[in-house]
Structure formats: structure tokens, C-alpha cells
Amino acid sequence: MKKVYKDEITSYIVGNREDFHSKLLSEADGVASKINEILQKGNIDLLKNAEKLVQFVVENREEELTAFARQEGIAWAEHSLTLQFKLEWVHAIRRTVWHYIKDYDDEVNSELSLSEFRKMIYQMEKQINDGLDQFINSFFISYSEYKDELISSQRKTVEHLSVPIIPLSVHVAVLPLIGIIDVYRMYTIEEKVLTDISRLKIRTLILDLSGITDMDMEVIHHFQKVLDGISLMGCKAVITGLRAELVRKMIQLGVTFDDKAETKGTLQQTLPEYYKPELY
């Protein structure tokens, strides 16, 4: 293909689009075979986006470059595209841009003195490398933030599923708690308990702690606040299944649940007292 030379570097690259694409793909062997797959999976046109990235970098359009990088980061995170491909692709863009700058310089070099030429190359090198580094940095921040939010959302969903409030009758429900309860999970318990008391119109909530072997001091105090919240919602709290290890720790710490909830031995012993099906 006969090249069409332009005065501006971006116009020069756009004017040689087919050759630019060909050179770029040859620089990124590992990505080239994934072009169509990425387009179909994430509706991401790598070649078109490469032109846009080069334009923002060469023309030093920093705000647009950062916004574009964040947009790309979200798109790649959303569709779980491989970061290795992105890095290889950006490095290929860097090499290809320098290839075209060399060609461009060959055309205009005759009009520049050696000192002018060196100054131009130094400025262009700094601008391009800084711009691409800025793109990579903003891309990874955006990618990471999206993934962190996704993980947090998924964790919250899992935690809510681990707080199963089971209705026994119209106004009575049971909440069996098992496993380790940390501060984060206690916040989830608080949110789920208070929400479901209101939503289900629960008047008595049986909290079975037989699956809990230990709570640290901060968690115990937070649990007391949850019990206060249950009372403020007009609901009665009944605690069953307190294990000896936890009771000993509470005695040593000088704390108790007696003034905040009724305590029973086991869930099996407690259910007959409160499980009285009501007519709807």
C-alpha cells in the first residue's frame, strides 16, 4: 500500500491506517489472534481504540486520555478480559507509534537542524511515554476499583445468605448463626436482622448461637447493640445454644446478654414454646 504522508503525526497515522493496523498486529502476536474474540465478548474494538489512544497521547489531551483509560478499565474488568493481553497490546502500540514517528521524521527531518531534531525527539519521547504510562496507570486503577466493588458486592451477597432468618409462624422466626463472626459480619447481621424484623413483622426472633464458639470483645459489644436494636423494633430476642467457651469468656469480660434477651438452653428445647402456628 502506498503511504499517504500528512503534516501532523496523528493524521499521518490515520492516513496510513491499514499499514498502522498491520504493523500493530505484527507487534502483538499474542493479542492478534484474540481481536475478534475480544470484540465479540466485550464489544471492544482494539484497533479503533488504539487509534484513539495514540491521538490522545500524541496531542497531549490528558483529561480525555484519563477518562478513556478509566472507561477501558471498567470494560475489561466487567468482561473479565485478560490483563496480560492489555499490557502486551499497549506495549505494541508504544513500539508501533515509534515506528511511525521515525517514518514521519524521515519526511520532515530535512527541514530541521540537528539540534531542533534532537529537541523534538526528546519532547516527543517524553510526551508519548508519559502519556502511555498515564493510560496504563489509570486503566489499572479503574480495573482494580471495579473488581474490588464487585468482590465487595459478592461478599455482601454471600454474607446475607449466611444470615438465614427462617420464619416459623406469622410473627416468630429463627436465626441460626454458625462459623466465625467478625465485625464485618456483625454489621451484615445487624442490617439483615433489623430489615427482616420490619419486613416480616417479626415479634419474636430466636437467635441460635450453638454454631459459634468464640467472639472477640468488639464483636460481643456490637452483638449487644444488635439486641438493643431488636428491642427498639418492638421485637423480643431469645438466645439459645450459648456454648461453654463463649459463656466463660463473657464472665471473664463481665458482660452478659440477660438484660437484653431471654436465654434458653438449646434450640430444640425452645422451639415447642414459641413455635405455635397461627391461623392466617
Side-chain angles (χ1 to χ4, degrees):
M1 170 185 176
K2 184 178 180 180
K3 293 185 177 181
V4 181
Y5 299 107
K6 305 287 184 176
D7 292 336
E8 298 292 337
I9 293 177
T10 49
S11 297
Y12 180 78
I13 291 175
V14 171
N16 294 281
R17 177 176 284 117
E18 292 184 20
D19 190 62
F20 175 78
H21 289 176
S22 177
K23 176 64 177 175
L24 181 54
L25 292 173
S26 70
E27 290 285 349
D29 292 337
V31 181
S33 61
K34 302 290 184 179
I35 290 282
N36 290 332
E37 179 183 333
I38 292 174
L39 179 61
Q40 293 174 3
K41 186 175 182 179
N43 194 29
I44 299 172
D45 189 331
L46 289 180
L47 294 173
K48 182 179 179 180
N49 288 354
E51 286 185 28
K52 186 181 294 187
L53 172 57
V54 170
Q55 184 177 6
F56 291 155
V57 169
V58 173
E59 296 178 5
N60 201 26
R61 292 155 60 178
E62 292 187 8
E63 290 186 5
E64 291 170 277
L65 176 65
T66 299
F68 179 58
R70 295 189 66 82
Q71 176 187 333
E72 284 274 277
I74 292 173
W76 280 68
E78 185 178 9
H79 297 286
S80 299
L81 298 173
T82 307
L83 289 177
Q84 177 186 347
F85 290 154
K86 190 63 176 181
L87 281 175
E88 183 178 346
W89 187 244
V90 173
H91 289 322
I93 291 173
R94 192 191 303 267
R95 292 191 296 270
T96 303
V97 168
W98 277 111
H99 170 80
Y100 273 85
I101 287 177
K102 179 180 180 302
D103 282 355
Y104 176 76
D105 289 339
D106 288 343
E107 294 299 313
V108 302
N109 188 28
S110 58
E111 302 174 8
L112 300 175
S113 66
L114 182 59
S115 62
E116 290 174 327
F117 173 72
R118 287 175 175 172
K119 182 178 179 181
M120 182 191 73
I121 287 296
Y122 172 78
Q123 292 175 339
M124 186 61 68
E125 178 181 15
K126 185 176 187 306
Q127 182 174 317
I128 289 175
N129 287 336
D130 287 352
L132 289 174
D133 289 344
Q134 178 187 336
F135 174 85
I136 292 173
N137 184 57
S138 298
F139 171 89
F140 273 100
I141 290 175
S142 179
Y143 184 98
S144 178
E145 287 176 347
Y146 183 92
K147 284 294 189 181
D148 287 346
E149 289 175 5
L150 181 61
I151 291 171
S152 177
S153 176
Q154 291 173 339
R155 179 180 178 182
K156 189 172 183 180
T157 299
V158 170
E159 291 291 353
H160 271 266
L161 292 174
S162 72
V163 186
I165 294 181
I166 306 166
L168 298 179
S169 62
V170 177
H171 298 298
V172 180
V174 61
L175 170 57
L177 293 173
I178 61 174
I180 298 173
I181 297 186
D182 56 13
V183 174
Y184 177 87
R185 191 178 178 202
M186 187 54 70
Y187 277 111
T188 303
I189 292 170
E190 177 183 353
E191 179 184 352
K192 182 74 180 296
V193 163
L194 299 183
T195 299
D196 279 10
I197 287 174
S198 176
R199 182 175 63 87
L200 300 173
K201 304 294 188 286
I202 300 171
R203 295 178 187 170
T204 301
L205 179 62
I206 303 170
L207 299 103
D208 180 48
L209 305 186
S210 59
I212 304 297
T213 58
D214 192 20
M215 291 185 187
D216 62 31
M217 187 65 173
E218 187 176 3
V219 172
I220 290 174
H221 284 312
H222 196 155
F223 188 65
Q224 289 179 311
K225 292 179 181 180
V226 172
L227 295 176
D228 287 336
I230 292 173
S231 178
L232 288 172
M233 295 289 291
C235 179
K236 176 182 178 181
V238 179
I239 296 176
T240 67
L242 280 172
R243 300 181 69 163
E245 302 95 321
L246 182 55
V247 171
R248 281 197 297 270
K249 184 170 187 177
M250 291 172 62
I251 292 172
Q252 293 170 1
L253 295 173
V255 297
T256 179
F257 298 144
D258 290 344
D259 59 336
K260 301 178 184 296
E262 183 179 347
T263 56
K264 299 285 186 179
T266 67
L267 180 61
Q268 290 80 1
Q269 295 169 349
T270 307
L271 284 178
E273 180 179 346
Y274 289 96
Y275 180 44
K276 298 174 182 178
E278 302 176 36
L279 297 176
Y280 288 81

